[in-house]
CSV table of all heavy atoms in Angstrom, one decimal:
chain,number,residue,atom,x,y,z
A,1172,PRO,N,84.7,-55.5,-73.8
A,1172,PRO,CA,84.1,-55.8,-72.5
A,1172,PRO,C,83.9,-57.3,-72.2
A,1172,PRO,O,84.0,-57.7,-71.1
A,1172,PRO,CB,82.8,-55.0,-72.4
A,1172,PRO,CG,82.4,-54.7,-73.8
A,1172,PRO,CD,83.7,-54.6,-74.6
A,1173,VAL,N,83.6,-58.0,-73.3
A,1173,VAL,CA,83.4,-59.5,-73.1
A,1173,VAL,C,84.7,-60.1,-72.7
A,1173,VAL,O,84.8,-60.9,-71.7
A,1173,VAL,CB,82.9,-60.1,-74.5
A,1173,VAL,CG1,82.8,-61.6,-74.3
A,1173,VAL,CG2,81.6,-59.5,-74.9
A,1174,PHE,N,85.8,-59.8,-73.4
A,1174,PHE,CA,87.1,-60.4,-73.1
A,1174,PHE,C,87.6,-59.8,-71.7
A,1174,PHE,O,88.1,-60.5,-70.9
A,1174,PHE,CB,88.1,-60.0,-74.1
A,1174,PHE,CG,88.0,-60.8,-75.4
A,1174,PHE,CD1,88.0,-60.1,-76.6
A,1174,PHE,CD2,87.9,-62.2,-75.4
A,1174,PHE,CE1,87.8,-60.8,-77.8
A,1174,PHE,CE2,87.8,-62.9,-76.6
A,1174,PHE,CZ,87.7,-62.2,-77.8
A,1175,GLY,N,87.3,-58.5,-71.5
A,1175,GLY,CA,87.7,-57.9,-70.2
A,1175,GLY,C,87.0,-58.6,-69.0
A,1175,GLY,O,87.6,-58.8,-68.0
A,1176,THR,N,85.7,-58.9,-69.2
A,1176,THR,CA,85.0,-59.6,-68.1
A,1176,THR,C,85.5,-61.0,-67.8
A,1176,THR,O,85.7,-61.4,-66.7
A,1176,THR,CB,83.5,-59.7,-68.5
A,1176,THR,OG1,83.0,-58.3,-68.6
A,1176,THR,CG2,82.7,-60.4,-67.4
A,1177,VAL,N,85.8,-61.7,-68.9
A,1177,VAL,CA,86.4,-63.1,-68.8
A,1177,VAL,C,87.8,-63.0,-68.1
A,1177,VAL,O,88.0,-63.8,-67.1
A,1177,VAL,CB,86.6,-63.7,-70.1
A,1177,VAL,CG1,87.3,-65.1,-70.0
A,1177,VAL,CG2,85.2,-64.0,-70.8
A,1178,PHE,N,88.6,-62.1,-68.5
A,1178,PHE,CA,89.9,-61.9,-67.8
A,1178,PHE,C,89.8,-61.5,-66.3
A,1178,PHE,O,90.5,-62.0,-65.5
A,1178,PHE,CB,90.7,-60.8,-68.5
A,1178,PHE,CG,91.3,-61.2,-69.9
A,1178,PHE,CD1,91.4,-60.3,-70.9
A,1178,PHE,CD2,91.6,-62.5,-70.1
A,1178,PHE,CE1,91.9,-60.7,-72.1
A,1178,PHE,CE2,92.1,-62.9,-71.4
A,1178,PHE,CZ,92.2,-62.0,-72.4
A,1179,ALA,N,88.8,-60.6,-66.1
A,1179,ALA,CA,88.6,-60.2,-64.7
A,1179,ALA,C,88.2,-61.3,-63.8
A,1179,ALA,O,88.5,-61.4,-62.6
A,1179,ALA,CB,87.6,-59.1,-64.6
A,1180,PHE,N,87.4,-62.2,-64.4
A,1180,PHE,CA,86.9,-63.4,-63.6
A,1180,PHE,C,88.0,-64.4,-63.3
A,1180,PHE,O,88.2,-64.8,-62.2
A,1180,PHE,CB,85.8,-64.1,-64.4
A,1180,PHE,CG,85.2,-65.3,-63.8
A,1180,PHE,CD1,84.3,-65.3,-62.7
A,1180,PHE,CD2,85.7,-66.6,-64.2
A,1180,PHE,CE1,83.9,-66.4,-62.1
A,1180,PHE,CE2,85.2,-67.8,-63.6
A,1180,PHE,CZ,84.3,-67.7,-62.6
A,1181,PHE,N,88.8,-64.7,-64.3
A,1181,PHE,CA,89.8,-65.7,-64.1
A,1181,PHE,C,91.1,-65.2,-63.5
A,1181,PHE,O,91.8,-65.9,-62.7
A,1181,PHE,CB,90.2,-66.4,-65.5
A,1181,PHE,CG,89.1,-67.3,-66.0
A,1181,PHE,CD1,88.3,-67.0,-67.0
A,1181,PHE,CD2,89.0,-68.6,-65.4
A,1181,PHE,CE1,87.3,-67.8,-67.4
A,1181,PHE,CE2,88.0,-69.5,-65.8
A,1181,PHE,CZ,87.2,-69.1,-66.9
A,1182,VAL,N,91.5,-63.9,-63.8
A,1182,VAL,CA,92.7,-63.4,-63.2
A,1182,VAL,C,92.5,-62.7,-61.9
A,1182,VAL,O,93.3,-62.9,-61.0
A,1182,VAL,CB,93.3,-62.3,-64.2
A,1182,VAL,CG1,94.6,-61.7,-63.7
A,1182,VAL,CG2,93.6,-63.0,-65.6
A,1183,LEU,N,91.4,-62.0,-61.7
A,1183,LEU,CA,91.2,-61.2,-60.5
A,1183,LEU,C,90.2,-61.8,-59.6
A,1183,LEU,O,90.1,-61.4,-58.4
A,1183,LEU,CB,90.8,-59.8,-60.8
A,1183,LEU,CG,91.8,-59.0,-61.7
A,1183,LEU,CD1,91.1,-57.6,-62.1
A,1183,LEU,CD2,93.1,-58.8,-61.0
A,1184,GLY,N,89.4,-62.8,-60.1
A,1184,GLY,CA,88.4,-63.4,-59.3
A,1184,GLY,C,87.2,-62.6,-59.1
A,1184,GLY,O,86.3,-62.8,-58.2
A,1185,GLU,N,87.0,-61.5,-60.0
A,1185,GLU,CA,85.8,-60.7,-59.9
A,1185,GLU,C,84.6,-61.5,-60.4
A,1185,GLU,O,84.7,-62.3,-61.4
A,1185,GLU,CB,86.0,-59.4,-60.7
A,1185,GLU,CG,87.0,-58.5,-60.2
A,1185,GLU,CD,87.1,-57.2,-61.0
A,1185,GLU,OE1,86.3,-57.0,-61.9
A,1185,GLU,OE2,87.9,-56.3,-60.6
A,1186,VAL,N,83.4,-61.3,-59.8
A,1186,VAL,CA,82.2,-61.9,-60.2
A,1186,VAL,C,81.3,-60.9,-60.8
A,1186,VAL,O,81.0,-59.9,-60.2
A,1186,VAL,CB,81.6,-62.7,-59.0
A,1186,VAL,CG1,80.2,-63.3,-59.5
A,1186,VAL,CG2,82.5,-63.7,-58.4
A,1187,ILE,N,80.7,-61.2,-62.0
A,1187,ILE,CA,79.8,-60.2,-62.6
A,1187,ILE,C,78.5,-60.3,-61.9
A,1187,ILE,O,78.0,-61.4,-61.6
A,1187,ILE,CB,79.7,-60.5,-64.1
A,1187,ILE,CG1,78.9,-59.4,-64.8
A,1187,ILE,CG2,79.1,-61.8,-64.4
A,1187,ILE,CD1,79.0,-59.4,-66.3
A,1188,SER,N,77.9,-59.1,-61.7
A,1188,SER,CA,76.6,-59.1,-61.0
A,1188,SER,C,75.5,-58.8,-62.0
A,1188,SER,O,75.7,-58.5,-63.1
A,1188,SER,CB,76.6,-57.9,-60.0
A,1188,SER,OG,76.8,-56.7,-60.6
A,1189,LEU,N,74.2,-59.0,-61.5
A,1189,LEU,CA,73.1,-58.8,-62.3
A,1189,LEU,C,73.0,-57.4,-62.9
A,1189,LEU,O,72.7,-57.2,-64.1
A,1189,LEU,CB,71.8,-59.2,-61.5
A,1189,LEU,CG,70.5,-59.1,-62.3
A,1189,LEU,CD1,70.5,-60.0,-63.5
A,1189,LEU,CD2,69.3,-59.4,-61.4
A,1190,PRO,N,73.2,-56.3,-62.0
A,1190,PRO,CA,73.2,-55.0,-62.6
A,1190,PRO,C,74.2,-54.8,-63.7
A,1190,PRO,O,74.0,-54.1,-64.7
A,1190,PRO,CB,73.5,-54.1,-61.4
A,1190,PRO,CG,73.0,-54.9,-60.2
A,1190,PRO,CD,73.3,-56.3,-60.6
A,1191,GLN,N,75.4,-55.4,-63.6
A,1191,GLN,CA,76.4,-55.3,-64.6
A,1191,GLN,C,75.9,-56.0,-65.9
A,1191,GLN,O,76.2,-55.5,-67.0
A,1191,GLN,CB,77.7,-55.9,-64.1
A,1191,GLN,CG,78.4,-55.1,-63.1
A,1191,GLN,CD,79.6,-55.8,-62.5
A,1191,GLN,OE1,79.6,-57.0,-62.4
A,1191,GLN,NE2,80.7,-55.0,-62.1
A,1192,ILE,N,75.3,-57.1,-65.7
A,1192,ILE,CA,74.8,-57.8,-66.9
A,1192,ILE,C,73.7,-57.0,-67.6
A,1192,ILE,O,73.7,-56.8,-68.8
A,1192,ILE,CB,74.2,-59.2,-66.5
A,1192,ILE,CG1,75.3,-60.1,-66.0
A,1192,ILE,CG2,73.5,-59.8,-67.7
A,1192,ILE,CD1,74.8,-61.4,-65.5
A,1193,LEU,N,72.8,-56.5,-66.8
A,1193,LEU,CA,71.7,-55.6,-67.4
A,1193,LEU,C,72.2,-54.4,-68.0
A,1193,LEU,O,71.8,-54.0,-69.1
A,1193,LEU,CB,70.7,-55.3,-66.3
A,1193,LEU,CG,69.5,-54.4,-66.7
A,1193,LEU,CD1,68.7,-55.0,-67.8
A,1193,LEU,CD2,68.6,-54.1,-65.5
A,1194,GLY,N,73.1,-53.7,-67.3
A,1194,GLY,CA,73.7,-52.4,-67.8
A,1194,GLY,C,74.5,-52.7,-69.0
A,1194,GLY,O,74.4,-51.9,-70.0
A,1195,GLY,N,75.3,-53.8,-69.0
A,1195,GLY,CA,76.1,-54.1,-70.2
A,1195,GLY,C,75.2,-54.4,-71.4
A,1195,GLY,O,75.5,-54.0,-72.5
A,1196,CYS,N,74.1,-55.1,-71.2
A,1196,CYS,CA,73.2,-55.4,-72.3
A,1196,CYS,C,72.6,-54.1,-72.9
A,1196,CYS,O,72.4,-54.0,-74.1
A,1196,CYS,CB,72.1,-56.3,-71.8
A,1196,CYS,SG,72.6,-58.0,-71.5
A,1197,LEU,N,72.2,-53.2,-72.1
A,1197,LEU,CA,71.7,-51.9,-72.5
A,1197,LEU,C,72.8,-51.1,-73.3
A,1197,LEU,O,72.5,-50.6,-74.4
A,1197,LEU,CB,71.2,-51.1,-71.4
A,1197,LEU,CG,69.9,-51.5,-70.7
A,1197,LEU,CD1,69.7,-50.8,-69.4
A,1197,LEU,CD2,68.7,-51.4,-71.6
A,1198,VAL,N,74.0,-51.1,-72.8
A,1198,VAL,CA,75.1,-50.5,-73.5
A,1198,VAL,C,75.3,-51.1,-74.9
A,1198,VAL,O,75.4,-50.4,-75.9
A,1198,VAL,CB,76.4,-50.5,-72.7
A,1198,VAL,CG1,77.6,-50.1,-73.6
A,1198,VAL,CG2,76.3,-49.6,-71.5
A,1199,PHE,N,75.4,-52.5,-74.9
A,1199,PHE,CA,75.6,-53.2,-76.2
A,1199,PHE,C,74.4,-52.9,-77.2
A,1199,PHE,O,74.6,-52.8,-78.4
A,1199,PHE,CB,75.7,-54.7,-76.0
A,1199,PHE,CG,76.9,-55.0,-75.2
A,1199,PHE,CD1,76.9,-56.2,-74.4
A,1199,PHE,CD2,78.0,-54.3,-75.1
A,1199,PHE,CE1,78.0,-56.6,-73.7
A,1199,PHE,CE2,79.1,-54.6,-74.4
A,1199,PHE,CZ,79.1,-55.8,-73.6
A,1200,ALA,N,73.2,-52.9,-76.6
A,1200,ALA,CA,72.0,-52.6,-77.5
A,1200,ALA,C,72.1,-51.2,-78.1
A,1200,ALA,O,71.9,-51.0,-79.3
A,1200,ALA,CB,70.7,-52.7,-76.7
A,1201,GLY,N,72.5,-50.2,-77.3
A,1201,GLY,CA,72.7,-48.9,-77.9
A,1201,GLY,C,73.8,-48.8,-78.9
A,1201,GLY,O,73.6,-48.2,-80.0
A,1202,VAL,N,74.9,-49.4,-78.7
A,1202,VAL,CA,76.0,-49.4,-79.6
A,1202,VAL,C,75.6,-50.2,-80.9
A,1202,VAL,O,76.0,-49.8,-82.0
A,1202,VAL,CB,77.3,-50.0,-79.0
A,1202,VAL,CG1,78.4,-50.2,-80.0
A,1202,VAL,CG2,77.8,-49.2,-77.8
A,1203,ALA,N,74.9,-51.3,-80.7
A,1203,ALA,CA,74.5,-52.1,-81.9
A,1203,ALA,C,73.6,-51.3,-82.9
A,1203,ALA,O,73.7,-51.5,-84.1
A,1203,ALA,CB,73.8,-53.4,-81.4
A,1204,ILE,N,72.8,-50.4,-82.3
A,1204,ILE,CA,71.9,-49.6,-83.2
A,1204,ILE,C,72.7,-48.8,-84.1
A,1204,ILE,O,72.4,-48.6,-85.3
A,1204,ILE,CB,71.0,-48.7,-82.3
A,1204,ILE,CG1,70.0,-49.6,-81.6
A,1204,ILE,CG2,70.3,-47.7,-83.2
A,1204,ILE,CD1,69.1,-48.8,-80.6
A,1205,THR,N,73.9,-48.3,-83.6
A,1205,THR,CA,74.7,-47.4,-84.5
A,1205,THR,C,75.7,-48.3,-85.3
A,1205,THR,O,76.0,-47.9,-86.4
A,1205,THR,CB,75.5,-46.4,-83.6
A,1205,THR,OG1,76.3,-47.2,-82.7
A,1205,THR,CG2,74.6,-45.5,-82.9
A,1206,SER,N,76.2,-49.4,-84.8
A,1206,SER,CA,77.2,-50.2,-85.5
A,1206,SER,C,76.7,-50.8,-86.7
A,1206,SER,O,77.4,-51.0,-87.7
A,1206,SER,CB,77.7,-51.3,-84.5
A,1206,SER,OG,78.4,-50.7,-83.4
A,1207,PHE,N,75.4,-51.1,-86.8
A,1207,PHE,CA,74.8,-51.8,-87.9
A,1207,PHE,C,74.1,-50.9,-88.9
A,1207,PHE,O,73.3,-51.4,-89.7
A,1207,PHE,CB,73.9,-52.9,-87.5
A,1207,PHE,CG,74.6,-54.1,-86.8
A,1207,PHE,CD1,74.7,-54.2,-85.4
A,1207,PHE,CD2,75.2,-55.1,-87.6
A,1207,PHE,CE1,75.4,-55.2,-84.8
A,1207,PHE,CE2,75.9,-56.1,-87.0
A,1207,PHE,CZ,76.0,-56.2,-85.6
A,1208,THR,N,74.4,-49.6,-88.8
A,1208,THR,CA,73.9,-48.7,-89.8
A,1208,THR,C,74.9,-48.4,-90.8
A,1208,THR,O,76.1,-48.7,-90.7
A,1208,THR,CB,73.5,-47.4,-89.1
A,1208,THR,OG1,74.6,-46.8,-88.5
A,1208,THR,CG2,72.4,-47.6,-88.1
A,1209,LYS,N,74.5,-47.8,-91.9
A,1209,LYS,CA,75.4,-47.5,-93.0
A,1209,LYS,C,76.1,-46.2,-92.8
A,1209,LYS,O,77.1,-45.9,-93.4
A,1209,LYS,CB,74.7,-47.4,-94.3
A,1209,LYS,CG,74.1,-48.7,-94.8
A,1209,LYS,CD,73.3,-48.6,-96.1
A,1209,LYS,CE,72.7,-49.9,-96.6
A,1209,LYS,NZ,72.0,-49.8,-97.9
């Protein structure tokens, strides 16, 4: 999603909004809890 957001900004001119930033951070936080477990 990091690369996708960068591509969307430069290729499509999309602008990331505050809800997208907040929602994305929550998604990443949830995934990180599982990604860093054994």
